Every structure is written in C-alpha cells, then in structure tokens.
Amino acid sequence: MAESSESPPAGPRSSNNGKRPGARLVMISAALGGLLVLVVSAVLNWPSSENGSRGVSLVPGAGSPDDQQAAASPPEFEADAGTCLNWTRPDAGDIRKVTCSEPHLFEVTGTSDLQEEFDGRAPFPSVEQWERLKKQRCTDVAIRYLGGNFDPNGRFQVGAFTPSSRGWENGDRTLHCGLQQPSPSGTLYRFTGTVKKLDQSDIHDPGTCMGINGTSVSGPVECSQPHSFEITGVVDLGEKFTEGYPPIEEQDKFLFTRCQELTAQYAGSEKAAEDKGLTVSWDNLTQQSWNAGSRKVNCKVGAQLPDDGGLAPITGSVKAEVTVGTQPAPSEPAPATPGAPASGTR
C-alpha cells in the first residue's frame, strides 16, 4: 500500500489495444502486476428459414466448416434493431424474442452488409476474420444505435450472429449485430432493460468477488472461493469532476483517498485490508468511456504474488478471515461453448 496521498499508485485501466479483434482488454493496476485479461464474446449463427441454409447453433470456432446445424426446423423470425433475444441452451437452439424488460442475453443493434468485401466466390471467413468483422462492423452499428454513446471499455460488448457456412454458400452476407454482457470466459450474463437507458459503467456491487484463473481475473464467484479481487465500493467520478473529463492522474489522486475510505467502511476498520495482506486499488475511466457517459468505477482489494508474479489467489472476505496464496491459482481451460448463458447474474 502506498504511504502518501501525494504519490498514489496507478489504478487499473480498461482499454482496447487492438491486439485481437473483438477482444476486450482490462489492465489491472501496476501495483497488482499489470496483468491483461482477454474477453472474447461469442459469434452465433442467425436463425432463418432460408431452405435450412442457416441454423441457430453456436459456431464453436466461427469459421468451422461444419457449423453443427441445430434442429431441422429453425425458428422463423427476423429481429429489428431494438429487439431483445434470450436463450437457455448452450447452442442457442431455443433462441426467442423477449421484451427488453425481461432478462435477456442479446440486444439487436442492426445489420452490416458484407457484400462489398466478400463477393459470391469468397470462401467462408476464418475465426480471425469473423472476429475482425464483428469488432469493426458491429462497433460502428452500436455507435449509430446508441447515438454515439457506446463505451467500448464498459459493461457491454459487441456481438454478432453470422451466416452459417451453408448460408454463406447460398449468398448470405448479412452480419446481425448486437450488444451483450460477456463474462471473462466468453459465456454471457443476462441483463434487464435496453442498453440505451442503462449505465454502461463496468462496475459490480460491493461484496462481489471476482474469480481467478491462473493469474488472470475471471467472473464473479463466492468470496469463500479463490478470487482475485473483492469489490469494496463504487465511486461516481461525475460527482467530483463536474467540468469535463479528469486526467488519470487526477482520478488517481481522488480515488486513492476515496477508495481507502470506502474500503475501511466496508471492511470495518481502516487497517483491515493492510493487516490481512491486501492492497486497495481501483479502476480508471478513459476519455472514450467518459464521452459515452460512463462515470462510475470500482474500488477493490487484491494481493500480488511474490516477486511480481501477478495476482495472488485470495480466499475469504476482507470483512472476516482471509488467506492469501503464494502460488498462482490453477488455470482452467476456456469453455467449449462460448456464448452459452452464464450461471449467476451481474
């Protein structure tokens, strides 16, 4: 823990560095190892009745030649921008329209026509091509749909339903874009309401513990399980900074004090985190996130492995007994079906 408010440690920052199309990169604070967590959202097949040429199954590797077509009679519907979709099966085979006031996995933002880039002789795109197309095309669609107020570092990420390989062979070149709420493993959390009216700030309720996979952050877990961070508070930077975007240094100076205060209130004493070997840290907002309307950030506690080895696994809440591991947590493989509904909610 830093000793002086004049030199606060840098808080974690969220940004897209473009290393992998469609990926969301979350930078953890320098004090906690500068780790990167990669979140890749799913690419799905769009349901249609076009002679069975398009299915509803998840494409495990969007670009696989055998798309594992779902039932012989896929649902027959078109979904306009603003439509909300939900499903319960891992392969999305039971996809259906719901009102946006119900919990759902996907909010349709519009379509993007790929005809100019891929003529009738073009081969079915690879995984990397689909991710690039989703990132580029669906981000533009989301920005238009939200009137320019899309936070690419926020709670929601772009997703897409694509033609199947058979649909592609029959000339289908439409990418159906939407917004979704992915977990770090690629599964999708349900959300309620339209993104147009929801706060896009990437925050969690105090008391949420974020899981750990190796030395990387994963989705929320019970605090009795090994985890990377425990959320101790949420700060609205808009209440402090009323005259425009605050530089990171100004955010850090304010959050250093405010997150210490919130953590002390949450944990029950000013020294609770330090006495248990935990460090207080926080998130920062980028200019892009601020321009999109995001104002809130997390305060949290975590720990570092010896010799700057990355994030340490923590068991137990800072409110009670805590064990800080000295070895990396086990690394779990990615799930076989990204895009499947996640367990729990956000």
Side-chain angles (χ1 to χ4, degrees), residues 98-136:
V98 297
T99 63
C100 293
S101 61
E102 299 177 65
H104 55 277
L105 296 169
F106 194 89
E107 181 172 342
V108 179
T109 55
T111 61
S112 183
D113 189 347
L114 307 179
Q115 288 282 358
E116 290 187 5
E117 188 170 349
F118 298 94
D119 63 22
R121 296 169 296 178
F124 191 65
S126 66
V127 176
E128 292 75 17
Q129 285 177 303
W130 278 129
E131 283 294 329
R132 175 183 62 81
L133 290 166
K134 182 196 70 176
K135 170 74 171 178
Q136 295 175 347

Side-chain angles (χ1 to χ4, degrees), residues 107 141-151 179 195-196 200:
E107 181 172 342
V141 172
I143 290 171
R144 290 195 299 271
Y145 176 73
L146 296 174
N149 298 320
F150 174 54
D151 181 357
L179 291 166
V195 178
K196 287 183 175 181
Q200 296 182 51

Side-chain angles (χ1 to χ4, degrees), residues 12 26-37 210-218 226-230 277-283 300-315 323-331:
V26 182
M27 186 176 292
I28 307 307
S29 72
L32 292 176
L35 222 57
L36 293 181
V37 180
M210 305 303 297
I212 189 166
N213 185 8
T215 57
S216 299
V217 180
S218 62
H227 56 271
S228 54
F229 290 112
E230 181 175 358
L278 302 176
T279 300
V280 177
S281 63
W282 53 87
D283 297 331
K300 52 197 177 183
V301 291
Q304 188 178 15
L305 291 169
D307 301 320
D308 297 326
L311 294 174
I314 304 162
T315 305
T323 301
V324 179
T326 58
Q327 298 294 324
S331 295

